[in-house]
Amino acid sequence: IESSLKMNTDFIVSKAERHFYNCDYANCFKLTSLIMEEDPFHSDCLPIHISCLIELKKTNSLFHLAHKLVELYPEWVVAWFAVGCYYYMVSKHDSARRYLSKATQLDRVFCPAWLAYGHSFALENEHDQAMAAYFKAFQLMKGCHLPLLYIGVEYGLTNNLKLAEQFFTQALEIAPKDPFVLHELGITCFQNQDYNGAEKYFEKALIEVKTVHGSVLSSKWESLLNNLGHTARKLKKYPESLSYHQQALVLIPMSASTYSAIGYVQALQGDLVEAVEAFHKALSFP
């Protein structure tokens, strides 16, 4: 069946979307670029393509795309979504919110604009406004776990761990293998000092990530490896803890917090010379 659908654009969009949810942005971008060449205004592909440009930090490409869309289709919701995403990407959050708000007014049920609108508030710790946007997305995106995940994150940031856990659990029921949800549940357990529970969720998340990406992880998962390291340290599994932090260093080599964590574990093990060296390295990074 797949071979007969190979050139079907809707099928390619679905594959691209799957790659996007798996954080495989390079393959997602390949597929969306393919469709953009054939049909530059494919309404289902454009939101994924725009999201992919943000993840890959292709600012210029997004600027040109947004400019072209607004010029040709000023009444189209995707055009203003693209403009809002560009400003979000360059950290001009007031402008981002203005254009994303315009997108939500042009089409009240265009879900990507509500999610991006929420993100623009979340980045500036405007938790209430972020949650209002995510709740709106949740009403519109029945059967999608992402709004639940983001609502849970906001509750976690405001120290409302009970509600955060509730939303993560709901998200997990919809997407039981999503590593982001498993990771967030692990963080909630860690904050509740349930280190065994945290370890269980973090390890599950790592298994799911490796199932998709193999052993070569993207830098996005550095925090997961470091969190596994912190959890192993709390459980007094010092060699495992060091191993996870060292794996995190491979993903982001010049990280002061990772070197600090390594130094702390080495100090607990009594390897004071190595600990001092790790702390010196931590201090040398901004």
Side-chain angles (χ1 to χ4, degrees):
I1 296 169
E2 192 166 321
S3 56
S4 62
L5 290 170
K6 207 167 258 181
M7 294 317 293
N8 179 298
T9 50
D10 293 333
F11 178 67
I12 297 169
V13 168
S14 296
K15 276 183 80 172
E17 198 170 345
R18 189 180 70 188
H19 284 313
F20 185 83
Y21 283 133
N22 286 335
C23 299
D24 189 354
Y25 304 120
N27 278 323
C28 178
F29 183 65
K30 266 185 211 165
L31 293 177
T32 56
S33 301
L34 207 90
I35 295 169
M36 291 291 104
E37 279 170 30
E38 280 196 24
D39 179 1
F41 306 108
H42 192 292
S43 60
D44 287 338
C45 183
L46 271 167
I48 302 163
H49 187 65
I50 290 163
S51 305
C52 214
L53 290 173
I54 296 170
E55 292 295 343
L56 295 171
K57 298 186 169 44
K58 293 182 180 284
T59 319
N60 290 345
S61 303
L62 183 53
F63 175 81
H64 291 303
L65 176 63
H67 198 272
K68 187 168 70 173
L69 286 170
V70 168
E71 207 175 294
L72 294 171
Y73 299 104
E75 292 305 307
W76 195 19
V77 60
V78 177
W80 297 106
F81 170 64
V83 174
C85 285
Y86 168 74
Y87 282 111
Y88 168 81
M89 201 174 169
V90 296
S91 299
K92 294 190 173 173
H93 299 301
D94 286 340
S95 301
R97 282 199 280 270
R98 187 161 69 246
Y99 291 114
L100 290 166
S101 174
K102 180 169 182 163
T104 60
Q105 283 157 16
L106 278 172
D107 183 350
R108 300 295 294 174
V109 296
F110 185 68
C111 306
W114 284 108
L115 286 179
Y117 192 45
H119 294 343
S120 68
F121 283 115
L123 271 180
E124 295 197 311
N125 295 321
E126 304 268 1
H127 302 297
D128 292 343
Q129 289 95 324
M131 274 196 273
Y134 294 145
F135 270 113
K136 182 67 181 174
F138 171 56
Q139 287 168 6
L140 299 172
M141 299 170 80
K142 295 294 179 195
C144 179
H145 69 289
L146 289 179
L148 291 163
L149 169 63
Y150 298 136
I151 292 165
V153 169
E154 291 306 306
Y155 274 125
L157 290 169
T158 52
N159 280 328
N160 203 328
L161 300 181
K162 269 271 178 284
L163 274 170
E165 193 173 354
Q166 204 175 306
F167 280 98
F168 292 143
T169 308
Q170 282 183 56
L172 197 67
E173 282 169 18
I174 298 170
K177 292 184 175 182
D178 187 292
F180 288 105
V181 180
L182 291 164
H183 186 206
E184 291 299 335
L185 271 165
I187 291 170
T188 309
C189 286
F190 189 93
Q191 287 171 321
N192 285 327
Q193 297 181 359
D194 173 12
Y195 302 121
N196 288 309
E199 185 180 49
K200 185 186 77 178
Y201 282 121
F202 288 145
E203 282 176 348
K204 267 192 193 171
L206 189 60
I207 288 165
E208 293 305 333
V209 173
K210 285 184 173 174
T211 304
V212 174
H213 298 284
S215 55
V216 182
L217 304 184
S218 81
S219 58
K220 214 174 187 65
W221 298 111
E222 180 247 12
S223 58
L224 171 58
L225 290 169
N226 269 328
N227 285 337
L228 271 162
H230 294 312
T231 308
R233 186 191 74 238
K234 289 286 188 183
L235 295 168
K236 296 186 167 48
K237 299 177 180 176
Y238 299 133
E240 271 183 49
S241 176
L242 272 182
S243 168
Y244 284 126
H245 288 312
Q246 278 153 357
Q247 287 173 58
L249 266 190
V250 173
L251 301 186
I252 298 181
M254 294 166 66
S255 167
S257 60
T258 307
Y259 273 112
S260 301
I262 287 171
Y264 186 28
V265 177
Q266 286 170 333
L268 290 170
Q269 284 181 310
D271 300 331
L272 300 182
V273 176
E274 286 93 336
V276 167
E277 202 177 305
F279 288 137
H280 271 303
K281 277 184 184 166
L283 287 168
S284 70
F285 299 128

